[in-house]
Amino acid sequence: MIEQAREALKRVYGYDSFRKGQEEIIAGILNGRDTLAILPTGGGKSICYQIPSMLLPGTSLVISPLISLMKDQVDALRRVGVPAAFLNSSLGAAEYREVVRSSLQGEYKLLYVAPERLDAPMFQTLSEQLAIPLIAIDEAHCVSQWGHDFRPSYRQLAGWIARMANRPLVAAFTATATNEVARDISEMLKLRDPGVYVTGFARPNLSLSVVTGAQKKSFLERFVADRKEQSGIVYAATRKEVENVYELLSRSGVQAGKYHGGLSDAERAETQERFRFDDIRVMVATNAFGMGIDKPNVRYVLHWQMTGDIESYYQEAGRAGRDGEESECVLLFEPADMQVQRFLIEQGAGDADRKAIQLSKLHMMMNYSRTQRCLQQFIVDYFGETGVAACGKCSSCLDKSEPVNRTDEAKMALSCVGRMKGRFGVTMVAKVLKGSRDKRLLEFGLDRLSTYGLMKHLPEKEIADWLYWLVSEGYLRLSEGQYPVVSLTANALPVLEGREMIMQRVRATVRQSSASDNAASTPLFEALRQWRKEKAAAEGVPPFMLFFDATIREIANVQPQTTEELLAVKGIGAAKADKYGGELIAIIQSFIGEGLPLGSDFPPKQTAPNRSGGSRASGEEQPSHVTTLELFQAGQEPGDIAKERGLSRVTVEGHLIRCADEGLDIDFSRIIPADQEALIVAAIEKVGTEKLRPIKDELPEDVSFFAIHGVISKYGFKSS
Ligand code: ADP
């Protein structure tokens, strides 16, 4: 059966090989084994349950909390010819009933359901009337209390599955699970002897950075300006910050959108769509944005503030580069941000236990922001994975700065905290060190401390940051509660006694964008991208739904001339080749057919790629196209000539047409099949020669562009 799975991978999705873990997971499911799979974001989880669903008899259920993701996946499946539907709150009552009705008739291979939609009677009906071979549970960490996104509806689901008379296979998928959460998922969902697959958490196409001590506003402006063509997300912790950052970017002329809980549903939906359609380049958002956005070409995710835990950070940052291309994740870090997160935890829902868990997670996040270790290693380590090599491209790996000795400032700060006897917060300590005339400070007589004004040369905010840094390094401790006070830890002693030095690195740089968006934009790539945008708009779907950037880039590089060649491109399966192949090939033809008589649909003809071997080979006396002609006249076919000369077939065909146009002796009967000639002439008379595509559309599939060019040349039809 795994053979069939491989065949489906190629036919349906256009991919040649499975990614790490996919084959084992699919084989496990097809062999009837419950599954727990932990794959990083972008690792390709969907295929792991979609392919088995296609191969197993009946309708598989996919449980997902992500409404817009469901729609995308269902759209994508339908586009490649797989019957699928979804049930969630975005459907109107009538639509909903219709989907249920069709489901019960077994019309779908996959049915996506939001867990809160799956109430008991509904579940009962489906499980009694449908053949359900598999229940795939996406974002399975939502079932665990220990996870960062616990959802009660997932708990209920687990109960129902356990009570099903004819229990299907259950396969659980998540990207973010520590060992503890993984165990919890397995227990909660009552998985039966599951195959557990952990492919690793590393995301080799992401460059992680933590930027400390930067002027955030100018940093952001420069960062975005340096990445003009790229899509990115800027996450901020609060609505107000989102508004501020949005204003900032809009003022500097960036096409930005904003997204947070204070906007209406309609506003949010519209902005999200515009982002997906590449109309908006940068989305500024709170963490409300992103659950379920599956825009594959997000090239960077920049966090304006730190998140409350590493799971959330990695999940949000991980929205960059789902298409596997180089992407960047930048965290702008100010130690004081810890306070914002603390406040959110204190104010948030949850009992004391839950808050304690959240606080310790916050602590780890703080450590991430401060660590000098490889950031990728730090994260995978957090999720329990060892033995991952340093990434070599995160801000820690690239950091060549010498640490600065800050022992003196540390002593000043620590002794001031000591003298304030654990009764005040960071702000008040900073005021004392600054030598502020604050009213409360004076009331408490803190101006009489010997440390008063010791750091008056620094701005108060910088002093506060310095104190938070000492907290994060473990020299100071903050109490819990809404008004945390600061006190010394045991680690402070050796510093105060002069037995330990304090070294600090200050980092404020991110390596220059290496994302390939800017790098490889040839005229053909741009033309294909433009075509994709127009085509997608006409179909009312986001551009990536047609092809990913990587696929477009590969087409631009490989320049396929035939359907078979097109099918060899990663990301093009039978359905897409069928639907778009003709147009793609026409665009490519118009670009690489240098010397062809037809005007191209896309103007920059003079910049058509000059492929190696496409121009005159060194030492040749005569023009390249004449050499081609000689071989043709000696009886060789264009395909053979291409092979012999190391050229593409289309270039060779272009040479021959050019020879014909130049009046050289050429046997047109070898270019134009006899039974097609009259048809082509008729088509040209009907639609003209301004563009090639309409002529092709008039004719049977098997008429080639070469033959059309041949007729135009032979009869002297000229493009206008
Ligand atoms: P996840 O849900 O794990 O974040 P997805 O299932 O959305 O990831 O897959 C991420 C991207 O990788 C998708 O665009 C998908 O088409 C692509 N992909 C998945 N499997 C393969 C594969 N074997 N070869 C190439 N691309 C793949």
Side-chain angles (χ1 to χ4, degrees):
M1 220 154 164
I2 198 66
E3 272 313 311
Q4 284 171 281
R6 255 189 233 120
E7 188 271 329
L9 183 73
K10 181 69 192 157
R11 177 175 43 83
V12 179
Y13 302 94
Y15 297 141
D16 287 327
S17 53
F18 283 113
R19 289 220 183 116
K20 196 170 162 201
Q22 284 179 327
E23 183 160 349
E24 294 77 4
I25 294 169
I26 292 172
I29 296 176
L30 292 176
N31 284 329
R33 188 138 188 226
D34 274 5
T35 296
L36 170 59
I38 305 173
L39 269 71
T41 309
K45 288 183 276 300
S46 327
I47 280 179
C48 295
Y49 53 78
Q50 287 175 352
I51 289 183
S53 304
M54 290 170 209
L55 298 181
L56 294 168
T59 306
S60 295
L61 299 187
V62 182
I63 312 297
S64 167
L66 311 175
I67 290 181
S68 56
L69 191 89
M70 273 186 205
K71 181 171 176 337
D72 278 359
Q73 293 218 347
V74 166
D75 283 352
L77 282 166
R78 288 186 178 162
R79 298 183 83 76
V80 293
V82 180
F86 61 82
L87 287 173
N88 64 36
S89 56
S90 72
L91 295 180
E95 282 173 304
Y96 195 87
R97 272 197 306 277
E98 179 54 30
V99 173
V100 173
R101 198 188 55 75
S102 304
S103 308
L104 294 177
Q105 289 174 350
E107 283 184 18
Y108 307 121
K109 288 311 291 176
L110 290 102
L111 180 63
Y112 284 72
V113 194
E116 49 282 350
R117 283 276 121 180
L118 213 48
D119 56 15
M122 166 83 183
F123 201 82
Q124 189 84 19
T125 320
L126 282 179
S127 58
E128 278 168 9
Q129 300 191 21
L130 257 189
I132 306 175
L134 168 70
I135 299 189
I137 303 182
D138 205 3
E139 310 291 337
H141 57 270
C142 293
V143 79
S144 168
Q145 281 246 56
W146 311 110
H148 59 292
D149 191 19
F150 171 59
R151 290 170 185 239
S153 55
Y154 263 70
R155 273 286 157 85
Q156 267 184 332
L157 172 74
W160 288 327
I161 295 176
R163 287 191 295 275
M164 280 171 86
N166 221 340
R167 180 185 176 281
L169 281 174
V170 180
F173 296 86
T174 179
T176 42
T178 54
N179 285 334
E180 201 181 16
V181 172
R183 255 195 316 276
D184 206 29
I185 294 174
S186 189
E187 278 169 27
M188 287 299 148
L189 290 173
K190 302 208 166 41
L191 299 183
R192 296 179 183 166
D193 181 27
V196 179
Y197 307 89
V198 184
T199 60
F201 295 91
R203 297 274 313 271
N205 64 322
L206 299 186
S207 304
L208 302 164
S209 307
V210 177
V211 174
T212 317
Q215 280 296 329
K216 292 210 295 193
K217 287 185 177 168
S218 46
F219 180 91
L220 177 71
E221 280 177 325
R222 206 184 59 237
F223 185 89
V224 172
D226 281 352
R227 290 156 181 76
K228 275 207 170 50
E229 296 303 318
Q230 301 179 7
S231 262
I233 304 175
V234 178
Y235 277 112
T238 62
R239 293 175 188 183
K240 196 163 149 250
E241 292 279 25
V242 168
E243 292 289 346
N244 292 343
V245 174
Y246 169 76
E247 283 299 316
L248 176 75
L249 288 177
S250 302
R251 268 203 310 274
S252 54
V254 177
Q255 278 177 315
K258 60 182 171 177
Y259 191 105
H260 60 65
L263 302 170
S264 70
D265 285 354
E267 282 171 303
R268 281 190 296 182
E270 194 203 320
T271 317
Q272 173 158 340
E273 281 312 281
R274 292 187 56 207
F275 183 60
R276 277 156 40 87
F277 279 74
D278 289 338
D279 286 342
I280 288 176
R281 218 158 56 69
V282 185
M283 183 68 112
V284 188
T286 59
N287 62 7
F289 178 69
M291 277 310 260
I293 114 128
D294 182 21
K295 185 171 156 56
N297 64 338
V298 174
R299 290 276 75 84
Y300 61 84
V301 172
L302 185 141
H303 278 79
W304 186 249
Q305 278 120 348
M306 69 187 257
T307 56
D309 52 58
I310 290 179
E311 287 94 327
S312 307
Y313 178 69
Y314 205 42
Q315 192 171 52
E316 288 166 17
R319 292 188 180 121
R322 292 179 75 113
D323 55 9
E325 301 216 9
E326 282 296 321
S327 306
E328 301 168 278
C329 309
V330 179
L331 170 64
L332 297 186
F333 175 68
E334 285 185 336
D337 292 342
M338 173 125 176
Q339 272 318 97
V340 178
Q341 290 302 334
R342 259 182 108 99
F343 180 78
L344 292 175
I345 294 173
E346 302 288 347
Q347 297 299 304
D351 55 20
D353 280 356
R354 174 118 190 97
K355 285 184 177 169
I357 295 172
Q358 286 175 309
L359 279 174
S360 81
K361 283 182 187 289
L362 176 60
H363 216 91
M364 285 308 287
M365 187 63 210
M366 190 77 178
N367 291 346
Y368 172 79
S369 312
R370 303 257 45 127
T371 187
Q372 293 175 7
R373 281 182 67 192
C374 166
L375 296 175
Q376 181 71 86
Q377 272 182 337
F378 186 101
I379 288 182
V380 301
D381 192 24
Y382 176 77
F383 289 112
E385 185 182 353
T386 50
V388 171
C391 73
K393 58 183 181 178
C394 70
S395 54
S396 293
C397 287
L398 295 178
D399 185 12
K400 301 277 180 283
S401 67
E402 285 298 313
V404 181
N405 185 342
R406 299 201 63 187
T407 313
D408 285 347
E409 285 109 316
K411 279 184 176 167
M412 292 176 196
L414 295 177
S415 79
C416 188
V417 170
R419 276 160 224 275
M420 291 170 75
K421 305 219 177 326
R423 287 167 46 220
F424 298 92
V426 165
T427 313
M428 188 58 92
V429 179
K431 283 185 193 302
V432 172
L433 284 163
K434 175 74 191 169
S436 154
R437 303 303 297 164
D438 180 83
K439 196 160 144 262
R440 278 183 64 239
L441 184 157
L442 298 177
E443 276 168 18
F444 284 115
L446 295 173
D447 55 335
R448 293 198 296 275
L449 292 178
S450 58
T451 50
Y452 181 75
L454 267 186
M455 298 177 91
K456 59 173 174 290
H457 56 290
L458 294 176
E460 198 175 303
K461 180 169 174 304
E462 216 167 284
I463 304 175
D465 276 353
W466 176 233
L467 290 162
Y468 282 118
W469 189 81
L470 291 168
V471 172
S472 70
E473 295 292 296
Y475 299 102
L476 294 176
R477 168 190 313 118
L478 280 176
S479 68
E480 316 229 314
Q482 204 168 340
Y483 303 104
V485 295
V486 59
S487 55
L488 298 179
T489 68
N491 297 336
L493 237 79
V495 182
L496 285 168
E497 290 170 358
R499 287 185 286 121
E500 186 183 323
M501 291 208 304
I502 302 254
M503 308 297 285
Q504 188 194 30
R505 279 187 168 164
V506 179
R507 292 168 299 188
T509 49
V510 176
R511 75 170 181 168
Q512 195 47 39
S513 159
S514 62
S516 31
D517 239 32
N518 287 339
S521 69
T522 61
L524 176 55
F525 175 69
E526 288 309 326
L528 290 165
R529 206 150 73 149
Q530 184 59 28
W531 167 83
R532 176 183 64 171
K533 189 159 188 225
E534 285 163 15
K535 194 84 193 160
E539 293 184 21
V541 296
F544 66 76
M545 203 62 102
L546 268 62
F547 300 104
F548 285 174
D549 289 354
T551 305
I552 293 283
R553 183 164 302 113
E554 192 177 331
I555 296 174
N557 287 338
V558 179
Q559 303 176 353
Q561 307 305 318
T562 61
T563 308
E564 294 73 63
E565 287 173 12
L566 205 57
L567 280 167
V569 172
K570 192 167 155 188
I572 302 189
K576 288 194 175 168
D578 206 37
K579 188 159 176 196
Y580 305 113
E583 288 183 51
L584 287 171
I585 290 172
I587 294 169
I588 297 161
Q589 298 258 356
S590 70
F591 258 80
I592 56 181
E594 255 182 308
L596 294 187
L598 276 188
S600 130
D601 280 0
F602 300 94
K605 209 168 175 183
Q606 67 281 11
T607 46
N610 192 6
R611 286 153 44 115
S612 61
S615 55
R616 204 186 303 185
S618 60
E620 261 181 310
E621 292 304 317
Q622 64 188 9
S624 186
H625 64 290
V626 179
T627 307
T628 295
L629 180 63
E630 283 176 2
L631 295 170
F632 188 68
Q633 284 169 335
Q636 289 199 40
E637 290 310 314
D640 306 327
I641 301 172
K643 246 186 233 140
E644 181 175 327
R645 301 200 61 206
L647 301 173
S648 82
R649 188 189 169 105
V650 162
T651 304
V652 166
E653 292 178 352
H655 285 169
L656 294 174
I657 297 295
R658 180 164 166 194
C659 293
D661 281 347
E662 289 176 0
L664 299 172
D665 181 27
I666 200 155
D667 178 2
F668 279 108
S669 71
R670 290 175 60 200
I671 298 177
I672 313 161
D675 57 339
Q676 294 180 355
E677 188 160 339
L679 283 176
I680 299 174
V681 171
I684 289 174
E685 281 176 343
K686 184 166 169 207
V687 299
T689 55
E690 192 187 345
K691 285 183 178 166
L692 205 52
R693 183 74 235 163
I695 306 174
K696 182 93 170 73
D697 285 345
E698 284 290 314
L699 292 162
E701 280 293 324
D702 61 334
V703 177
S704 70
F705 284 101
F706 187 38
I708 298 174
H709 282 303
V711 169
I712 291 170
S713 186
K714 178 174 174 184
Y715 289 81
F717 292 119
K718 279 285 158 238
S719 58
S720 46

